[in-house]
Amino acid sequence: MYSKVAAHLSPSPESVSAVNAWLSANGIQGTTGGAHGDWVKASVPVSKANIILAAEFGEYYHKPTGSVSIRTMSYSLPVELFRHIDVVNPTTSFGVLPSGRSLFSSP
């Protein structure tokens, strides 16, 4: 059963190749993670994220907690990556835990 779930959650070799090629073409080194290699972590300066994601990241303040999050209201991916990437995070999410704590840590 586990192998069937893993096979379903694991990205295809084509997806891994497409995402890694895009990151590499933009001078970004990604690290694969997740139990099934189903996500990629990459750290980039905001200025580069703005360019490659056609975004406008900015600082957003949560007054009750004093936390600051770097987010954007929208972003874009190249059309050839649409079927390979489900979500880019953190981008547009401003979630708050039920206890009132922010999901994001202050810089």
Side-chain angles (χ1 to χ4, degrees), residues 37-82:
D38 54 339
W39 56 266
V40 175
K41 179 180 180 178
S43 296
V44 299
V46 170
S47 58
K48 181 168 268 277
N50 282 336
I51 293 168
I52 68 169
L53 296 173
E56 293 183 27
F57 283 87
E59 292 183 341
Y60 293 86
Y61 299 91
H62 187 249
K63 286 184 182 182
T65 63
S67 66
V68 179
S69 298
I70 307 293
R71 297 291 182 271
T72 185
M73 299 307 287
S74 65
Y75 66 93
S76 295
L77 291 167
V79 69
E80 61 269 15
L81 293 177
F82 283 7

Side-chain angles (χ1 to χ4, degrees), residues 2 4-5 10 12-13 15 18 20-21 23-24 27 29 36 38 40 54-56 61-62 69 71 76 85 90 92 97:
Y2 178 79
K4 288 182 181 181
V5 172
S10 297
S12 70
S15 291
N20 285 334
L23 290 172
S24 181
Q29 176 67 43
H36 308 288
D38 54 339
V40 175
E56 293 183 27
Y61 299 91
H62 187 249
S69 298
R71 297 291 182 271
S76 295
I85 297 176
T92 59
L97 297 172

